[in-house]
Amino acid sequence: MSVKFRNGRKGELVSRGTRLRRIITLMLGTLLVLPTTAFGSIIATGTGCGWDTSSGWVQRENAKVGDPKWADGIRMEYSGDYARKGADASISKWAPIYDGNGAVEGWFDQTSATCGQSVGLHISGNDKPVTLQLFRMGYYAGAGARLVETVKLPSVSKFSFPKFTRSPQSTVSTDWPVSWTLKVSSATPPGQYLVRLQDGGKDSNFVPLTINDPGVKSEITFISSVLTWQAYNQWGGYSLYKGPDNHRASRSVVVSFNRPYDGDGSGEFRYMEYPALKLAERLGIDLNYVTDVDLDRSTASLGTTMSIVMGGHGEYWTTNMRAHIQAAVDNGINLVSLGANAIYARPRLQSNDRELVMWRGVQEDVNRNDPILATSSWRHSPIAQPEAKLLGAQYVGLGVNADYAIPHPSRWPFTKMVKPELLQNIVGKEVDSPLYAVGPAVETLAESSIRFRGKDIKILATYYTNAKHAGVIDMSTNGWVCTIDNVCAWRPILNLATQENARLITEEILRGLTKGPLGLWRPAITDVPARTKVSPRMGL
């Protein structure tokens, strides 16, 4: 009799043999991991909502009137920022008291939704009426967002005390009731959305949601990296990186989506993704919008797209997600990481995809040696699949602040750069390189020589094309996207030339992706040969 276990979604049982085949298939780099109908098939789409998703729809959407005041009064705050939200670790070693900031806040019971689905918004208020504004994020002639709906809720009760599980899980969650339900309809076309919550107090918060159309034909599928947002989310005192005492030893190993994001409530969206998404919408590129949770569940969005783009920080990839994207690239679909440290951690989802598990191979994890269930970095045992095998480069260090030089400014995508050709302070905080990992031959797009942990190393943005002509780009710095709007958390104001060049280069990349497989018109040039041996570990 085969052993079966749940794979994290209600009612879905998967045999251990099936899971093992998925892992083996991923490691062999074949396409057998995918359903036979994965590419070229279309599941139920948003046609029942009457969405305009024919060619040019994003341009038509952005011709609508925007609202430049969408973020007025909500200053940019970054993940893990204790200035507004925190906990008192002195109360108990395992259940700190959440002290909050008094602002109304909330969370959706799904990270994404499509036509016809309903999503509950769980809110904790201050026993006062709450005004809810639903914004679709985009360009909108520079306004940056369009107001889709305004809802006024009667008095919303305060439910400020979260639930905590004991160490080492240290999971923070809430059981706030649903205060409002969004029904995805003709009024809410695909896109990235933020709900603004305000009750007349001095502080307001956002709540993010992705609305997608899984089978729509798109030039680019844009990934919202909600797994990474949640990993760094410090709301209630705990993230996958630290506890309320700011020490790694007290961190969670299981984090819940049933809580708000810290900072301004928008996760990492406003600084790691929004500047690039806004550019794509400004260019009128036909987009589809997914979360990495969607890509864990299904390949539907990848079967009808030309390219896949992630923003500045897509660190957490599940087994299914990586297998699905690897298969897409193997079939000629382009992949672009406009950041660094992507595909680094392999977590597991559970509890109907509402909990993210990441033990990092610690002794307490009973599955630490299991190639199927272990949650550690992709490059390490028992997984041993370096991220550079897909991306071309991979993470080497944290805490970097350096410049990028462009060695070949006459090559695409640098031909429209303005002077100077040195991109100052764009390299950091986390960085990648192809030189210290197994991976394919790559072209050097940008380079920086730095002194790191007593060694001279090179950071390289890379590009390669494969046998199916798919292009894979890794910009190798998670300072790239935030530089476009000058909203990086860790550095001073950037000069205008660097900001403008980051925008121009990104626009050229986005335009290029709309032409289909990059290798058909811009094959990569080999500057760094393929690496077949593992070099000494760097920056871990």
Side-chain angles (χ1 to χ4, degrees), residues 231-268:
Y232 285 84
N233 182 13
Q234 200 74 22
W235 192 94
Y238 289 93
S239 72
L240 290 183
Y241 291 87
K242 57 187 177 181
D245 58 1
N246 283 335
H247 294 155
R248 292 177 68 88
S250 60
R251 66 190 175 192
S252 294
V253 297
V254 179
V255 290
S256 173
F257 280 92
N258 295 344
R259 58 175 179 161
Y261 289 106
D262 59 0
D264 61 23
S266 67
E268 296 187 355

Side-chain angles (χ1 to χ4, degrees), residues 157-480:
S157 299
K158 188 175 185 65
F159 303 98
S160 60
F161 192 82
K163 299 184 297 182
F164 299 86
T165 63
R166 292 185 178 275
S167 177
Q169 284 80 10
S170 300
T171 306
V172 182
S173 63
T174 76
D175 55 5
W176 302 342
V178 173
S179 298
W180 177 70
T181 299
L182 170 65
K183 176 69 177 292
V184 180
S185 67
S186 59
T188 51
Q192 298 287 348
Y193 285 75
L194 290 180
V195 171
R196 176 171 178 152
L197 301 175
Q198 48 199 358
D199 63 0
K202 65 176 182 178
D203 290 310
S204 301
N205 279 315
F206 290 118
V207 186
L209 179 71
T210 299
I211 295 179
N212 60 38
D213 189 353
V216 71
K217 186 176 181 180
S218 63
E219 294 170 314
I220 292 174
T221 292
F222 194 94
I223 301 174
S224 190
S225 298
V226 298
L227 297 181
T228 303
W229 302 359
Q230 195 58 250
Y232 285 84
N233 182 13
Q234 200 74 22
W235 192 94
Y238 289 93
S239 72
L240 290 183
Y241 291 87
K242 57 187 177 181
D245 58 1
N246 283 335
H247 294 155
R248 292 177 68 88
S250 60
R251 66 190 175 192
S252 294
V253 297
V254 179
V255 290
S256 173
F257 280 92
N258 295 344
R259 58 175 179 161
Y261 289 106
D262 59 0
D264 61 23
S266 67
E268 296 187 355
F269 172 74
R270 286 179 72 182
Y271 53 100
M272 285 296 188
E273 297 176 7
Y274 177 54
L277 178 69
K278 187 166 50 177
L279 283 187
E281 297 228 341
R282 178 184 180 183
L283 295 174
I285 294 171
D286 288 337
L287 299 169
N288 198 7
Y289 313 78
V290 301
T291 69
D292 33 25
V293 175
D294 297 317
L295 292 181
D296 174 77
R297 295 170 176 170
S298 171
T299 63
S301 296
L302 304 184
T304 53
T305 195
M306 294 180 181
S307 303
I308 304 164
V309 173
M310 70 182 113
H313 201 193
E315 181 177 345
Y316 285 72
W317 286 40
T318 65
T319 297
N320 285 346
M321 180 184 174
R322 180 166 177 176
H324 294 163
I325 292 179
Q326 178 71 68
V329 172
D330 290 346
N331 274 272
I333 296 174
N334 305 308
L335 172 65
V336 174
S337 170
L338 294 172
N341 197 23
I343 328 180
Y344 180 76
R346 190 186 78 165
R348 188 173 70 249
L349 287 165
Q350 65 183 24
S351 301
N352 298 324
D353 297 340
R354 298 302 293 173
E355 290 184 339
L356 184 69
V357 182
M358 193 70 202
W359 285 89
R360 302 184 192 279
V362 298
Q363 196 70 23
E364 292 88 345
D365 181 13
V366 296
N367 299 306
R368 64 187 179 280
N369 296 318
D370 189 324
I372 300 170
L373 297 177
T375 55
S376 60
S377 64
W378 274 98
R379 66 181 70 171
H380 290 145
S381 176
I383 308 167
Q385 286 296 299
E387 53 268 42
K389 293 178 72 174
L390 173 55
L391 274 184
Q394 70 182 39
Y395 174 70
V396 294
L398 169 69
V400 175
N401 190 9
D403 306 329
Y404 255 159
I406 308 301
H408 307 290
S410 62
R411 298 179 186 173
W412 178 89
F414 304 106
T415 51
K416 293 190 177 181
M417 282 181 63
V418 297
K419 303 295 181 180
E421 291 167 358
L422 183 71
L423 304 182
Q424 296 180 339
N425 295 321
I426 201 171
V427 180
K429 184 177 184 180
E430 295 172 307
V431 292
D432 296 350
S433 179
L435 299 178
Y436 316 102
V438 171
V442 296
E443 177 178 336
T444 298
L445 298 181
E447 60 185 11
S448 182
S449 297
I450 65 171
R451 185 75 175 169
F452 185 75
R453 295 188 177 179
K455 298 180 180 180
D456 293 320
I457 68 171
K458 280 194 172 183
I459 308 306
L460 302 180
T462 59
Y463 172 52
Y464 76 89
T465 48
N466 66 13
K468 289 288 188 177
H469 309 293
V472 178
I473 294 174
D474 181 8
M475 295 311 296
S476 293
T477 166
N478 64 14
W480 188 272

